[in-house]
Amino acid sequence: MKTSDRKLLKGYYWNHDAIRKDMDKLKTIVNKIDSYSTDDFNKLHNWFIYHEQCILAHHHGEDGFFFPIMREKQPDFLIKIDAMEHEHIALDEGLAKLNGLFKELKSGNKTALDNFISAAKNYIDLVIGHLDKEEIIVNEVISKLPEAEVLKTELEYRNKIPRSEMALLMPWMVDAMDEKDKKYFFGLAPFFVKWIYNLSAKPKFEKLTSCI
């Protein structure tokens, strides 16, 4: 189901859509790897650092708010999520490995190309597989809860997101939205959010991703 057709957990799925789009960007980098200069790798690494910041912010929201709430409502939820903890560790290791390889490539070490390609492909497969499995678990829990309760929980979370974190995540999420969801998102957003997006967040994001 497309996120724009969902009524529940739109923010959660906007994050996941953005992560999947980042994996498409990483695939593009792999496919174009021989065409990049050391300066290009420096720019690409800046994008990947941003990707990592968004991933960490997303996990903070899950671990600090969303998952504990789900555990309260469905105790067996935590058991299923904890069973995926080894994947969280592998994801962190994948981020660290790619950061290290980006540093080598932007320093001019072209012998790191093959290692980068292998590490990037492994990271992509791990991320996509992790999202797919996590969504199955989350959907199972949500299906057992009243719709109004889920919407209330989502609103509570939105109201707790710091402005700095929203400024970080907003262009990343919007970039992965279809036109229907962009209209929905900005219809809910206060004026200052639209102002920040158009004046600062969107131009910075477009500059950051223009190297891919």
Side-chain angles (χ1 to χ4, degrees):
M1 180 189 297
K2 294 196 309 181
T3 303
S4 56
D5 293 331
R6 295 182 182 275
K7 186 174 181 180
L8 304 178
L9 300 187
K10 290 180 79 70
Y12 171 80
Y13 280 100
W14 284 336
N15 274 247
H16 280 203
D17 291 344
I19 295 170
R20 286 189 169 95
K21 191 160 186 178
D22 276 358
M23 294 305 97
D24 289 338
K25 289 182 172 70
L26 193 52
K27 288 177 185 177
T28 298
I29 292 171
V30 168
N31 291 334
K32 294 171 58 178
I33 197 77
D34 291 326
S35 68
Y36 294 123
S37 66
T38 53
D39 184 56
D40 290 329
F41 282 122
N42 185 60
K43 295 174 182 176
L44 291 167
H45 192 204
N46 288 337
W47 163 75
F48 191 74
I49 290 170
Y50 173 77
H51 160 75
E52 182 176 26
Q53 290 172 336
C54 291
I55 290 289
L56 293 176
H58 173 62
H59 286 166
H60 177 261
E62 287 183 335
D63 296 338
F65 181 83
F66 181 55
F67 286 173
I69 291 292
M70 293 300 101
R71 181 183 59 201
E72 290 177 10
K73 300 178 186 302
Q74 296 288 334
D76 65 338
F77 172 77
L78 186 62
I79 298 172
K80 295 176 181 178
I81 287 296
D82 280 354
M84 299 172 65
E85 181 60 26
H86 67 286
E87 292 185 6
H88 292 160
I89 296 171
L91 286 167
D92 289 341
E93 291 173 347
L95 285 167
K97 187 168 187 176
L98 284 170
N99 272 313
L101 289 166
F102 267 121
K103 289 177 183 177
E104 289 190 46
L105 291 170
K106 69 184 186 182
S107 71
N109 181 10
K110 290 298 182 74
T111 61
L113 284 173
D114 288 343
N115 286 338
F116 178 88
I117 292 170
S118 176
K121 289 180 177 179
N122 287 340
Y123 180 70
I124 291 166
D125 290 343
L126 179 62
V127 168
I128 297 301
H130 180 77
L131 295 181
D132 289 345
K133 285 182 277 188
E134 183 183 286
E135 288 170 2
I136 291 172
I137 296 171
V138 168
N139 283 332
E140 182 182 343
V141 172
I142 293 302
S143 68
K144 300 175 183 178
L145 300 175
E147 182 178 288
E149 189 174 344
V150 178
L151 291 171
K152 180 183 177 183
T153 301
E154 288 186 83
L155 179 60
E156 289 173 359
Y157 176 62
R158 285 201 303 271
N159 290 336
K160 290 184 177 181
I161 299 176
R163 288 190 182 185
S164 59
E165 189 170 296
M166 178 53 72
L168 173 76
L169 297 177
M170 180 169 49
W172 181 64
M173 292 190 300
V174 172
D175 181 61
M177 293 178 191
D178 62 18
E179 292 304 315
K180 179 180 176 182
D181 257 356
K182 287 178 183 178
K183 184 177 180 180
Y184 174 82
F185 175 80
F186 287 111
L188 291 177
F191 174 77
F192 80 86
V193 170
K194 301 174 191 175
W195 183 77
I196 291 173
Y197 175 76
N198 288 312
L199 186 67
S200 177
K202 182 181 179 182
K204 287 180 180 178
F205 180 83
E206 289 177 344
K207 182 178 180 180
L208 188 67
T209 57
S210 63
C211 57
I212 300 173

